[in-house]
């Protein structure tokens, strides 16, 4: 006779959150043997130094294990995500930053769902804007939650490089207006966070 495991409301909520993140962003290829090798090597290197793994270095590992394109063994293109919401969001951010043509490719999307970046740094995905003239890339972490704004802990609000995406993303096929409004709202938050990291003279496009 099988043992029945009863799930608490907290367990169900956590599972729903995991499903939501994967549906919206896709998930990193954490089952690739090379992912675990690279992750452990990085962790061990900083453990030997008695330091914490920096967020940017952890992200560099996860970048190499993005999900495959549909019906392909080719990793997803960070300038053209296969998931609809990240694709729309990336385009909005690029346009809002005033980037045109090939320069829009400086805006990249990376999923980190299920990876150690997700677990250790609370990031389900990252929007990256590549730097110019040797400048460091600007990064904004995205954290999707099914909680409503009032249910999120204060410590999770106000981070300089983090945007929290509350609730479910509207289906564009069912309610295009609501979907576009959500893309715009999240995108403006991302751009605001990016501009906080930009040189003083940087301005958002009118």
């Amino acid at each position: 006779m099988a043992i029945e495991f009863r799930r608490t409301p907290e367990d169900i909520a956590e599972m729903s959150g995991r499903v939501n993140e994967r549906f919206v962003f896709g998930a990193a290829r954490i089952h690739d043997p090379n992912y675990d090798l690279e992750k452990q090597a990085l962790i061990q290197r900083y453990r030997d130094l008695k330091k914490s793994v920096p967020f940017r270095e952890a992200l560099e590992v996860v970048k190499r294990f993005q999900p495959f394109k549909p019906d392909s063994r080719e990793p997803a293109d960070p300038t053209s995500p296969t998931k609809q919401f990240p694709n729309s969001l990336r385009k909005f951010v690029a346009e809002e930053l005033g980037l045109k043509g090939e320069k829009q490719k400086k805006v990249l999307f990376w999923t980190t769902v299920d990876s150690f970046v997700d677990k250790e740094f609370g990031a389900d995905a990252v929007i990256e804007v590549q730097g110019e003239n040797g400048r460091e890339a600007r990064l904004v972490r995205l954290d999707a939650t099914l909680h409503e704004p009032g249910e999120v802990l204060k410590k999770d609000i106000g981070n300089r490089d983090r945007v929290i995406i509350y609730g479910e993303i509207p289906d564009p096929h069912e309610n295009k207006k609501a979907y576009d409004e959500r893309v715009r709202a999240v995108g403006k938050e991302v751009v605001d966070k990016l501009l906080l990291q930009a040189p003083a003279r940087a301005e958002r496009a009118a």
Side-chain angles (χ1 to χ4, degrees):
M1 179 178 178
I3 299 173
E4 180 180 356
F5 291 95
R6 296 184 180 276
R7 295 192 174 97
T8 66
E10 290 77 13
D11 292 334
I12 294 171
E14 182 177 355
M15 289 177 62
S16 299
R18 291 280 98 193
V19 171
N20 180 58
E21 293 160 4
R22 294 187 189 108
F23 179 77
V24 173
F25 296 133
R29 297 190 341 263
I30 63 169
H31 299 298
D32 186 315
N34 291 319
Y35 164 78
D36 200 53
L37 288 173
E38 290 196 32
K39 179 188 78 170
Q40 294 303 333
L42 180 64
I43 291 171
Q44 188 60 53
R45 177 152 61 88
Y46 277 91
R47 185 175 292 153
D48 292 342
L49 295 170
K50 295 182 170 56
K51 293 181 179 180
S52 298
V53 175
F55 172 68
R56 287 174 182 266
E57 290 196 41
L59 178 61
E60 287 302 314
V61 170
V62 180
K63 284 181 181 181
R64 292 190 283 274
F65 298 95
Q66 293 297 288
F68 290 128
K69 293 178 181 179
D71 303 318
S72 171
R73 299 293 291 176
E74 183 182 351
D77 181 352
T79 67
S80 182
T82 55
K83 291 287 187 177
Q84 188 161 9
F85 181 73
N87 196 302
S88 301
L89 181 64
R90 195 205 69 83
K91 287 180 181 177
F92 179 89
V93 169
E95 291 170 1
E96 192 77 353
L97 289 172
L99 301 175
K100 301 182 185 301
E102 287 296 304
K103 287 191 174 182
Q104 288 199 351
K105 292 184 178 180
K106 291 181 178 296
V107 181
L108 310 174
F109 170 84
W110 307 101
T111 181
T112 54
V113 171
D114 291 341
S115 74
F116 70 133
V117 168
D118 182 358
K119 294 174 173 60
E120 299 299 326
F121 297 95
D124 296 321
V126 174
I127 293 285
E128 174 183 359
V129 179
Q130 294 179 322
E132 294 182 336
N133 302 320
R135 288 176 176 159
E136 191 173 55
R138 290 176 276 161
L139 306 174
V140 171
R141 293 179 289 166
L142 305 178
D143 182 11
T145 176
L146 292 176
H147 292 295
E148 295 302 317
E151 299 175 310
V152 176
L153 297 175
K154 289 183 179 179
K155 70 178 179 64
D156 292 331
I157 299 175
N159 290 35
R160 182 184 175 88
D161 68 342
R162 188 180 188 198
V163 170
I164 301 175
I165 303 172
Y166 299 101
E168 295 183 352
I169 303 298
D171 186 331
H173 301 291
E174 295 179 358
N175 193 333
K176 183 69 162 55
K177 181 180 178 182
Y179 174 80
D180 289 343
E181 287 175 351
R182 179 61 67 86
V183 170
R184 188 177 302 110
V186 174
K188 284 183 178 295
E189 278 196 71
V190 170
V191 170
D192 286 343
K193 301 283 187 180
L194 288 167
L195 292 180
L196 285 174
Q197 304 171 40
R201 64 175 179 272
E203 296 180 359
R204 175 162 45 193

